[in-house]
Amino acid sequence: MKITVVGAGNVGSTCANCIAQKELAKELIIVDIKDGLAEGKGLDMWQAAPINYYNTKVKGVTNDYTATAGSEVVVITSGLPRKPGMSRDDLIATNAGIVKSVTENVIAHSPNAIIIIVSNPLDVMTYAAYLTAKKASNKIFGMAGVLDTARYRAFLAEELDVSPKDIQALLMGGHGDTMVPLPRYTTVSGIPVTDLIDEDRLNAIIERTKFGGGELVNLMGTSAWYAPGAAAAQMVEAIVRDQKRIFPVCAYLNGEYGMKDIYLGVPVKLGKNGIEEIIEVKLNESEMAMLKDSAESVKSIMKVLDDMNIID
Ligand code: LMR
């Protein structure tokens, strides 16, 4: 198994480190455009192998996609992170061109790879990569729901003073302020969360989740990396180990939830074939209205991408 992570910045290197530690690949390639950065991070991770006991051979390269040839899974984290005061959507002008050219290079050397996009604005960057790659949509999708749900679960675990392992939750929609956490599909070891927490506290946690990325940008002056990197690696694990995990994933909709030709966060089954099923959970009227609102917000950024005229 050969895996590539494009981008040796905070998110890319954290993701690569998780992949190595989980021994998901025999060979792990990290690519970056900055001279020496990926080489250095790859070498550093390889030198951690005898300590952390993994066999994954990690190697970094500067913009040399021939080294990535034949990768079975590729994670694309390239692009600028946001700074305080910016929304993820503000990154489209810089990141769309970067994601397009990275996807072209990836496809040229690994035409059969399953591709996971992590770059922001996530839903539209995933769409841009799909248009560029021209491959089946079950093999190209985005990471956001695993991260957003993890934030929601972590906040709930803290509030209820229980293990984060016992919080099961679903969150749908775009990776932005309009994301839709779903309390009706949130349980603590099977117990409906609404039995354990009052409405005001739950609503406060939902609001904090929606702005979870921004909270970290304000604290650190740049975007988060530990949870985003771990989330992408968890998706890689589900694919590589054919785990059939059910995760919220930014997936291409072709009629599901009454929507077409859009990438949006929905629950899917992830296994060796990538997205093996899109699961259509029953949403009530207000949940559906929130999902549609989130889709509208993603569509407005798709329009910006379209107007940039950079993808055939
Ligand atoms: C996140 O949610 O942490 C990422 O999308 C990065 C960001 O800028 O919020």
Side-chain angles (χ1 to χ4, degrees), residues 118-308:
V118 181
S119 316
N120 271 319
L122 188 274
D123 308 273
V124 181
M125 289 305 92
T126 309
Y127 189 66
Y130 165 72
L131 293 177
T132 305
K134 296 182 177 53
K135 65 190 292 159
S137 59
N138 66 312
K139 302 235 183 243
I140 183 157
F141 40 88
M143 185 295 293
V146 175
L147 167 64
D148 295 325
T149 314
R151 288 184 175 141
Y152 178 44
R153 292 163 65 202
F155 296 150
L156 283 170
E158 195 177 3
E159 174 73 21
L160 297 169
D161 192 23
V162 298
S163 165
K165 294 179 187 172
D166 289 333
I167 314 274
Q168 297 289 323
L170 178 60
L171 185 151
M172 291 172 63
H175 181 51
D177 307 345
T178 58
M179 68 180 74
V180 188
L182 292 165
R184 276 199 322 127
Y185 290 104
T186 306
T187 67
V188 182
S189 289
I191 306 163
V193 73
T194 42
D195 288 1
L196 302 173
I197 187 170
D198 67 55
E199 205 180 324
D200 287 353
R201 284 304 304 150
L202 183 56
N203 286 338
I205 285 171
I206 287 172
E207 282 312 297
R208 189 174 176 198
T209 302
K210 288 183 182 174
F211 297 94
E215 179 180 353
L216 289 157
V217 172
N218 287 336
L219 286 168
M220 302 191 291
T222 188
S223 297
W225 57 90
Y226 291 117
Q234 192 175 47
M235 289 171 67
V236 173
E237 183 176 20
I239 295 163
V240 166
R241 301 207 200 283
D242 192 24
Q243 287 174 328
K244 319 283 186 200
R245 297 286 312 261
I246 309 294
F247 288 140
V249 164
C250 176
Y252 184 79
L253 300 184
N254 188 20
E256 296 87 354
Y257 294 94
M259 298 183 206
K260 266 182 184 267
D261 199 28
I262 183 170
Y263 268 89
L264 203 63
V266 291
V268 309
K269 188 198 283 179
L270 268 194
K272 67 175 186 315
N273 301 309
I275 293 183
E276 300 192 347
E277 187 185 343
I278 293 181
I279 298 164
E280 289 196 76
V281 295
K282 286 198 175 69
L283 296 179
N284 64 28
E285 218 172 288
S286 82
E287 291 161 346
M288 197 60 214
M290 286 191 281
L291 189 65
K292 281 189 179 149
D293 184 45
S294 192
E296 285 309 314
S297 150
V298 171
K299 275 188 201 156
S300 70
I301 309 305
M302 284 167 68
K303 168 92 177 55
V304 177
L305 176 74
D306 203 30
D307 292 346
M308 285 170 74

Side-chain angles (χ1 to χ4, degrees), residues 17-93:
N17 196 35
C18 292
I19 290 170
Q21 301 231 15
K22 286 171 185 269
E23 280 197 318
L24 299 181
K26 196 158 182 262
E27 201 184 346
L28 173 60
I29 306 294
I30 311 173
V31 190
D32 201 279
I33 46 165
K34 190 163 177 230
D35 214 4
L37 181 68
E39 278 90 338
K41 296 224 174 162
L43 183 60
D44 194 11
M45 273 177 228
W46 177 235
Q47 289 169 0
I51 304 165
N52 288 329
Y53 263 67
Y54 52 79
N55 285 308
T56 299
K57 180 77 184 77
V58 193
K59 187 181 165 212
V61 293
T62 302
N63 232 5
D64 173 14
Y65 282 85
T66 59
T68 71
S71 294
E72 280 146 275
V73 182
V74 177
V75 181
I76 297 179
T77 70
S78 319
L80 295 186
R82 58 178 164 151
K83 293 199 162 58
M86 291 173 86
S87 90
R88 296 181 182 94
D89 298 343
D90 295 333
L91 298 169
I92 189 162

